[in-house]
Amino acid sequence: MKPQAVRGMNDLLPEQSPVWAYVEGVVRDLIESYGYREIRLPIIEQTELFRRSIGEVTDIVEKEMYTFVDRNGESLTLRPEATAGMVRAGISNGLLHNQRQKLWTVGPMFRHEKPQQGRYRQFHQFDVEAMGYAGPDVDAELIIMCARLWKRLGLSHLTLEINSLGTPQSRQRYREALVAYFSAVKSRLDEDSIRRLEQNPLRILDSKNPDLREIIDAAPLMLDFLDTESAQHFAAVREFLDAAGVPYKVNPRLVRGLDYYTRTVFEWLTDALGAQGAVCSGGRYDGLVEKLGGRATPAIGWAMGVERLVALYEVCGGKVAARLPDVYVVAVGERATTAAFALAESLRDASPSIWPELNLGGGNFTAQLKRADRSGARYAVILGEDEITGGRVAVKPLRLGEAQFDVPVSALAAELHKRLRDH
Ligand code: ATP
Ligand code: MG
């Protein structure tokens, strides 16, 4: 039996890596241009960190975490998202004492979900967090940053939904209203929702069960329960977005699947990827740093799914070709094979922008030329006994219909450089 990757975990094959590298590079440059600095975090954290931050009664903590006991009997979890680790790192490294931090990271996340197109058990996220910023300017900027990214990548089919979840106090009043409402229609709820009714009624709004659509649509709205300050904060975020010309829809049902959010929450959605519509989601989490043991620190961030972003880039017509070698070095005979090493390395010395590929594993002239052709290189440089004796090499163009020529070895790099630059 052939070995298989773990279900829902993908290999990223060489054909796909150029588009990933390109898209990731664009995202990285953009994020850094807004003043965010990279932080790299462990993929494993103590289970308790996720339980406390994401919340006990959430899909992630209830049924999606990869949790295991290590050899010391400690319960550890493969991170299902990055915010908890970011906040933990901020606290444990003292990054939040009298300072503000704008941080980003990228890497794999793990959730035991039902694998399907756009939904995997190992997937990748860019994660951006601003800690120590009370907003609403930063809320708006984080969203505007995404809009700029869509433009840079040439993406369309993206819409923005925003909402405010208020403060824990105003949310408590809303929660009571929800419990009253859902209790009255309890017989029509599904099992998950009945369980959540007492523990975490907001989660019912997040249900993906289509049978509950109607009941959820008629439930009370958080926006009617907002405290004055949260309402002002939300209005200011909207004003900044309006001024920046970033269109949005206020979706009073948007609650997000994690417990730690306060005030602004948002989601960038697409209808171009089938059922998996969320490309980037985020929100403010003013209570989380304190909850995890730090000093009270307002904060906000977003997470973007790289698989979905790359898929959307391709759906929108984006293509990235792999960079091919410029020159394939063909060498026939023992002396030439040895000389070919020196030649290839001297080309690299001359300019890092020239990419030579050395023929490896010998072979006769025809076989080597075939490999040269398959490599996609523009030129084959041919080294044989005659060439070595004469101090010259033959250059056979493989693509553009140029004529074959020969040059002294000492002039090869300059000649290639000129030709590669001119085309
Ligand atoms: P969804 O509603 O699709 O389950 P989510 O609300 O669980 O998304 P977040 O936890 O906010 O997603 O994660 C941020 C982003 O990470 C999502 O917008 C999405 O692009 C991506 N993402 C989340 N879960 C997965 C997954 N299992 N596979 C691939 N990408 C994912
Ligand atoms: Mg989810």
Side-chain angles (χ1 to χ4, degrees), residues 303-351:
M304 192 178 288
V306 184
E307 283 79 0
R308 293 185 195 176
L309 183 66
V310 169
L312 187 58
Y313 176 73
E314 290 182 324
V315 165
C316 292
K319 277 196 182 61
V320 181
R323 165 125 191 226
L324 299 171
D326 297 312
V327 200
Y328 192 95
V329 183
V330 169
V332 184
E334 228 171 86
R335 271 212 318 152
T337 302
T338 308
F341 271 99
L343 183 78
E345 292 305 317
S346 74
L347 291 176
R348 295 182 206 275
D349 283 341
S351 166

Side-chain angles (χ1 to χ4, degrees), residues 8 59-60 64 80-81 109-127 206 208 256-258 260-261 266-269 275-282 302-309:
D59 278 348
I60 293 180
E64 295 176 359
E81 54 99 55
M109 308 293 155
F110 303 85
R111 297 183 193 176
H112 197 273
E113 305 201 62
K114 194 166 150 243
Q116 53 199 288
Q117 194 66 38
R119 186 174 297 285
Y120 309 104
R121 289 182 173 173
Q122 175 176 324
F123 60 99
H124 298 77
Q125 283 184 343
F126 269 96
D127 190 78
D206 217 16
K208 292 195 168 83
R256 308 279 309 113
L258 308 99
Y260 50 62
Y261 287 113
F266 59 92
E267 230 162 40
W268 284 96
L269 302 163
Q276 285 8 291
V279 177
C280 175
S281 339
W302 55 243
M304 192 178 288
V306 184
E307 283 79 0
R308 293 185 195 176
L309 183 66

